[in-house]
Amino acid sequence: MNVREIEALFEENLHELGKRADSLNRGIATFSINKHINYTNVCVSKCPICAYYRTEGYVMSVDEVVDSALSAVSLGAKELHIVGSHNPEIGVEYFEEIFRRIKEQAGDGVVIKALTATEVSYYARKEGVSVREFLSRLRDAGLDMMPGGGAEILVERVRKRISPHKADSREWLRVMEIAHSLGIRSNATMLFGHMESYRDRAVHLYRIWRLQEKTGGFLSFIPLVFHPENTSFSHLSKASPQDVLKTIAVSRIVLSNFRGIKAYWVMLGEKLAQVALNYGANDVDGTVMGERIAHSAGAKTPLEMAKERLVELIRGAGKTPAERDAYFNVLEVYE
């Protein structure tokens, strides 16, 4: 499928797209027991599209991150999602110590999914090492996976307006390709509903699909709806539910080589996430436990969601709920 064909999908009837996308899933919708830890909000990149960064903010100590992680593991978390920003006071040793201590105390039963491709690019450059060396050190310390953040829109014309000081599109893709070559699996994202066009979304999806064909290293794709509140683009309206559902449906159709398409309830809200499970999404992410980034931009959803509520949400969509691990292996099906 080429860019023009992907772009044309966005012009098709929403409900027909939904039927086609839903038919590609198996009737099971998954979730994970996961914990989000945002280790700092101090960032030199200062993206206009971001409500989270501060020039003077907080930095969690190594002890605080490890304690937060272990506390979540004691409550059943199997996946730790550790992301922050581009903080000039942090170096590779900070992450190495965190990952080593978590693995030493929690064991290999918990998956450390940490640092976006843009964080990796920033910190490697700051440390004066190659991306490959930086990621190899973190892998050896306990890094298992990378989240998909920082992709925004992989079109430079748009990217220069929404995140001009962050790693560009080629660099994001390059970091992911290197990670995959080192055995580090990852997710991918797309932030939409700001100033991008359907064609820009199509280019983004095509570039993600093409890299997946080459490496097979991506696990899931998360279409992230932009929340304009508290950003430089607060004058923009949030994407309509119809636009969100169409984008999720197109993502499922195009990214047939991805195991999961997420309806990220933190950004969508419970009701829309539930509807999205009939429009191509086959995963609702997880319990989340303490996410800060989307909430700083005005997300009105809870800071976490109990497993029982996730099961109810999925059942309410007419799907069979299943708990999964970070690699999308089903652990338990709730018939």
Side-chain angles (χ1 to χ4, degrees):
M1 189 172 283
N2 59 37
V3 172
R4 186 173 296 175
E5 290 169 331
I6 298 170
E7 184 182 7
L9 287 174
F10 283 98
E11 303 296 343
E12 292 189 15
N13 177 272
L14 170 61
H15 300 299
E16 292 304 314
L17 274 176
K19 283 182 189 176
R20 180 177 166 188
D22 189 48
S23 72
L24 300 174
N25 292 329
R26 297 180 301 144
I28 288 178
T30 53
F31 65 90
S32 68
I33 311 299
N34 61 349
K35 165 70 174 174
H36 281 224
I37 301 173
N38 302 126
Y39 61 87
T40 185
N41 65 347
V42 176
C43 191
V44 297
S45 293
K46 303 177 183 178
C47 296
I49 208 162
C50 179
Y52 177 65
Y53 81 86
R54 297 291 182 272
T55 50
E56 294 183 13
Y58 74 88
V59 183
M60 295 175 71
S61 68
V62 168
D63 286 344
E64 286 173 326
V65 176
V66 173
D67 288 348
S68 180
L70 296 178
S71 175
V73 171
S74 72
L75 295 172
K78 300 178 180 70
E79 176 187 329
L80 301 172
H81 181 108
I82 304 173
V83 297
S85 52
H86 306 162
N87 187 330
E89 301 303 315
I90 291 176
V92 65
E93 293 86 359
Y94 171 84
F95 300 114
E96 287 178 314
E97 187 176 354
I98 287 170
F99 300 163
R100 280 203 190 98
R101 285 176 54 183
I102 291 172
K103 287 293 188 178
E104 285 169 1
Q105 297 180 63
D108 289 330
V110 63
V111 170
I112 297 175
K113 182 177 71 177
L115 303 188
T116 65
T118 55
E119 285 171 275
V120 168
S121 177
Y122 170 78
Y123 287 117
R125 191 169 64 252
K126 174 187 168 294
E127 296 289 280
V129 298
S130 69
V131 165
R132 182 170 293 275
E133 181 182 344
F134 182 82
L135 281 174
S136 295
R137 287 178 63 173
L138 295 191
R139 181 195 59 188
D140 293 345
L143 177 68
D144 298 299
M145 277 184 65
M146 287 171 58
E152 322 309 2
I153 289 286
L154 297 174
V155 176
E156 286 313 298
R157 175 182 52 78
V158 180
R159 201 174 182 84
K160 284 177 181 175
R161 296 185 65 186
I162 64 174
S163 53
H165 307 300
K166 200 151 67 170
D168 64 16
S169 303
R170 273 189 193 173
E171 177 68 357
W172 189 93
L173 291 162
R174 185 180 79 91
V175 171
M176 285 303 191
E177 184 170 354
I178 292 169
H180 297 170
S181 75
L182 292 170
I184 301 169
R185 306 293 295 275
S186 74
N187 295 329
T189 62
M190 176 175 71
L191 185 71
F192 71 97
H194 38 88
M195 54 184 51
E196 86 292 348
S197 64
Y198 281 159
R199 181 168 183 82
D200 295 329
R201 294 184 203 178
V203 169
H204 183 106
L205 290 170
Y206 176 74
R207 298 186 82 176
I208 296 285
W209 171 84
R210 190 171 59 181
L211 182 56
Q212 178 71 333
E213 287 290 290
K214 182 176 183 180
T215 69
F218 288 119
L219 288 160
S220 74
F221 180 72
I222 309 100
L224 300 172
V225 61
F226 175 54
H227 284 253
E229 193 172 320
N230 302 323
T231 75
S232 299
F233 299 97
S234 57
H235 59 284
L236 297 177
S237 299
K238 203 160 73 170
S240 70
Q242 293 83 0
D243 191 25
V244 171
L245 294 174
K246 179 169 281 192
T247 302
I248 289 171
V250 172
S251 299
R252 173 72 286 174
I253 292 165
V254 175
L255 301 178
S256 56
N257 52 5
F258 276 63
R259 294 187 71 175
I261 302 293
K262 290 189 183 183
Y264 186 39
W265 66 262
V266 171
M267 284 187 158
L268 300 186
E270 293 180 43
K271 289 183 179 178
L272 188 55
Q274 190 175 52
V275 175
L277 291 177
N278 288 286
Y279 281 79
N282 63 346
D283 186 86
V284 292
D285 197 271
T287 52
V288 174
M289 299 186 200
E291 192 277 345
R292 299 189 194 188
I293 295 173
H295 287 92
S296 67
K300 302 298 190 287
T301 48
L303 289 174
E304 59 186 76
M305 193 181 293
K307 177 174 78 171
E308 293 75 15
R309 178 63 191 133
L310 289 169
V311 169
E312 287 176 9
L313 186 151
I314 292 168
R315 279 199 181 123
K319 304 296 181 182
T320 301
E323 183 185 340
R324 61 164 173 83
D325 65 13
Y327 299 102
F328 274 74
N329 299 308
V330 171
L331 304 175
E332 183 176 358
V333 178
Y334 296 84
E335 295 291 356

